[in-house]
Amino acid sequence: MKARLPAAVYELAMRLGVKTEDDRSSVRLTQTGRMKRNLEVESWMAFTATQAISTRDCEFEWRAKAGPFGLVSARDALTNGEGRFDIVALGFIPIARAAHTPALVRGELMRYLAEIAWAPHAILGNAALRWREDGPDTLSVSAGSGETASEVMLSLDHDGRIAGSFAPDRPRSTTGPPLPTPWRGRFSDYHCLDNIWLPFAGEVAWEIDGKEALYWQGRIEQWEASTRVIRINN
């Protein structure tokens, strides 16, 4: 495993507490936070969420409840090479559903790559990831091919841990075709849990017309890594 990775990537895994002999293949976590329904509104909705992330394959599933009494449910997922994004009210009334397109897969792949900070076992465990060292404090990680080829840049803090992620061209849904838009995430409040260093706080923003539009902020409430393979339903 060590031979196929740039030295800086292997060293990142070691700093975060990941060992070459570690066989944990999935991560499960719970989150609380707030998010915007869309960028045009000023108001925020509180949410609670659960997420499963594979550290062997580029797959994840995020399920959240928001709004009054948690009546709005959202699902964001990537499984078997297909992306999915749905929002429903009362469990059955559709509010939004993304079309199954290569642009959706690219967007979901970028989310997976950006959230490696919450699933650091993927650094050594996911053979589908391609790594490049771009500088003393920057690594690039990519996955996919053809229309779904995706890449995210990871910036490191003064402790050598993942502090941010950036993609210059993540597809953003609007009233028309998805627009490639700069997109970034930030991680903070690192703690050591189960011998793994994890950021317990994060936020995500688009960059539109040179201005940052923050739309998601969350905290990790529970986290565990497991040898069990996650099962994500379509």
Side-chain angles (χ1 to χ4, degrees), residues 17 42 53 73 111 113 122 142 144 161 174 194 204 214:
E42 295 294 328
I53 307 172
S73 300
R111 173 170 179 169
L113 299 173
S142 60
R161 300 168 188 151
T174 63
D194 195 18
V204 188
L214 190 68

Side-chain angles (χ1 to χ4, degrees), residues 33-228:
R34 64 176 191 161
M35 61 185 180
K36 287 190 174 182
R37 180 168 53 86
N38 60 61
L39 296 179
E40 285 69 40
V41 301
E42 295 294 328
S43 59
W44 293 76
M45 297 189 302
F47 75 85
T48 59
T50 60
Q51 185 168 357
I53 307 172
S54 170
T55 63
R56 295 289 185 262
D57 303 287
C58 295
E59 296 193 344
F60 73 89
E61 180 182 52
W62 183 80
R63 289 182 179 267
K65 290 188 178 296
F69 308 105
L71 296 179
V72 177
S73 300
R75 182 190 182 195
D76 203 12
L78 178 65
T79 177
N80 297 322
E82 295 291 333
R84 180 165 178 173
F85 180 77
D86 304 295
I87 302 177
V88 299
L90 300 174
F92 66 95
I93 302 173
I95 297 176
R97 174 169 294 173
H100 292 197
T101 63
L104 176 61
V105 175
R106 285 193 74 235
E108 302 295 26
L109 260 177
M110 289 180 184
R111 173 170 179 169
Y112 177 90
L113 299 173
E115 293 185 346
I116 282 175
W118 284 330
H121 298 83
I123 297 171
L124 299 183
N126 190 340
L129 304 183
R130 302 182 294 272
W131 292 89
R132 185 179 71 249
E133 185 177 1
D134 284 346
D137 301 313
T138 306
L139 299 169
S140 290
V141 57
S142 60
S145 61
E147 290 184 294
T148 66
S150 306
E151 183 173 83
V152 168
M153 289 173 279
L154 303 178
S155 57
L156 308 183
D157 62 17
H158 63 276
D159 292 316
R161 300 168 188 151
I162 299 172
S165 55
F166 176 75
D169 59 351
R170 190 183 188 210
R172 178 173 62 91
S173 296
T174 63
T175 54
L179 297 174
T181 305
W183 175 79
R184 69 173 64 251
R186 296 186 184 90
F187 299 102
S188 58
D189 194 24
Y190 266 86
H191 296 277
C192 190
L193 181 64
D194 195 18
N195 297 316
I196 300 294
W197 283 97
L198 301 164
F200 273 59
E203 61 181 25
V204 188
W206 296 100
E207 291 184 10
I208 301 173
D209 297 328
K211 297 181 180 179
E212 184 172 284
L214 190 68
Y215 71 91
W216 188 97
Q217 293 177 313
R219 288 195 59 83
I220 301 298
E221 302 295 339
Q222 293 180 312
W223 180 95
E224 66 171 344
S226 173
T227 58
R228 292 171 298 183

